[in-house]
Amino acid sequence: MNWILTSDAKKARYEQQHGDLDERSLVRKGNTAYAAGLALLMAGDSEAPAWLGRAAARWRESWSGGESWGRPVGALKASLLARDDAAAAELAHWTLELGSATAESPIGRYAAALALLSLGRWDEARHVIESLRERDDFPHDVADALAYIAAHDVVGYTEAVESVVESFESRGDHLEDVAVADTALVLQELARRRGVDYALPPSPVLPPA
């Protein structure tokens, strides 16, 4: 795939605006900005952090409460991939203030896990992550990888994150049709913060080493 052409198409779609800039429009802009950022990551382009930052900002603006936990999750993931420590910390505190750690939704708990790991609150994260590992409506390999990061278990993390990559390689649907294992990349960033140094094997859904 030509990742630069893909990013250009997503950037152009981001700039399009039909009607009011309402909640739905903000979510669409977040999605397209994130897709552009991922494509730029795959291309090794220095513009990637800026577009990931736009995605985080649009998703946060779109938050309307209720069960729309995917938006804090997306905002946190985008900031982590941009390696914007200040934005990630601020978004993590905001996500926890929303009550994500006690949410009934597994996606809410996932948001809390990302937030706590982003802040280095390993013990608190372990409690939230264990509640995810007990569920059948959340990917077990993602929950395992989060738990192993919190516990600093390098061997367990290695197996879990490789499983996450494999799931992206085999799936047919990707956000905005951009086939990038963003969840694995976020896990890698959190692992790096935890002092777990592991290089993933080459994959068509990962940026070149």
Side-chain angles (χ1 to χ4, degrees):
M1 178 178 288
N2 187 318
W3 291 110
I4 293 299
L5 287 179
T6 299
S7 69
D8 287 344
K10 301 305 177 185
K11 291 177 190 177
R13 186 163 183 258
Y14 177 87
E15 298 298 342
Q16 294 172 0
Q17 180 60 45
H18 305 289
D20 296 332
L21 189 61
D22 56 12
E23 178 183 339
R24 183 175 177 181
S25 179
L26 286 167
V27 171
R28 179 187 66 78
K29 283 185 176 291
N31 291 349
T32 52
Y34 191 64
L38 292 180
L40 290 164
L41 272 183
M42 294 295 281
D45 194 289
S46 61
E47 272 196 284
W51 281 93
L52 292 166
R54 287 186 180 92
R58 298 297 84 75
W59 278 328
R60 178 167 183 175
E61 288 172 29
S62 74
W63 171 258
S64 60
E67 292 297 308
S68 52
W69 290 112
R71 302 173 199 183
V73 167
L76 276 167
K77 289 172 71 173
S79 293
L80 287 165
L81 292 179
R83 293 198 171 180
D84 187 335
D85 292 344
E90 196 277 328
L91 283 166
H93 286 295
W94 169 68
T95 297
L96 294 170
E97 288 167 4
L98 297 175
S100 54
T102 55
E104 290 296 323
S105 163
I107 305 305
R109 298 289 180 96
Y110 179 37
L114 293 176
L116 290 166
L117 291 175
S118 297
L119 295 170
R121 290 159 61 174
W122 316 118
D123 290 339
E124 292 172 79
R126 288 173 75 170
H127 290 295
V128 174
I129 295 162
E130 282 307 311
S131 71
L132 281 176
R133 297 178 89 183
E134 297 167 358
R135 303 185 66 127
D136 292 327
D137 55 354
F138 188 81
H140 291 292
D141 51 6
V142 175
D144 287 344
L146 293 168
Y148 293 134
I149 290 170
H152 200 278
D153 182 334
V154 178
V155 174
Y157 171 72
T158 298
E159 294 177 357
V161 74
E162 287 185 358
S163 175
V164 174
V165 174
E166 289 170 5
S167 73
F168 274 84
E169 291 173 341
S170 61
R171 70 174 57 176
D173 295 328
H174 299 270
L175 179 68
E176 292 284 319
D177 296 321
V178 174
V180 179
D182 63 314
T183 299
L185 295 175
V186 170
L187 291 169
Q188 284 287 87
E189 177 59 25
L190 292 171
R192 182 186 68 82
R193 290 167 175 240
R194 187 67 167 115
V196 175
D197 186 16
Y198 171 65
L200 283 165
S203 168
V205 294
L206 295 173

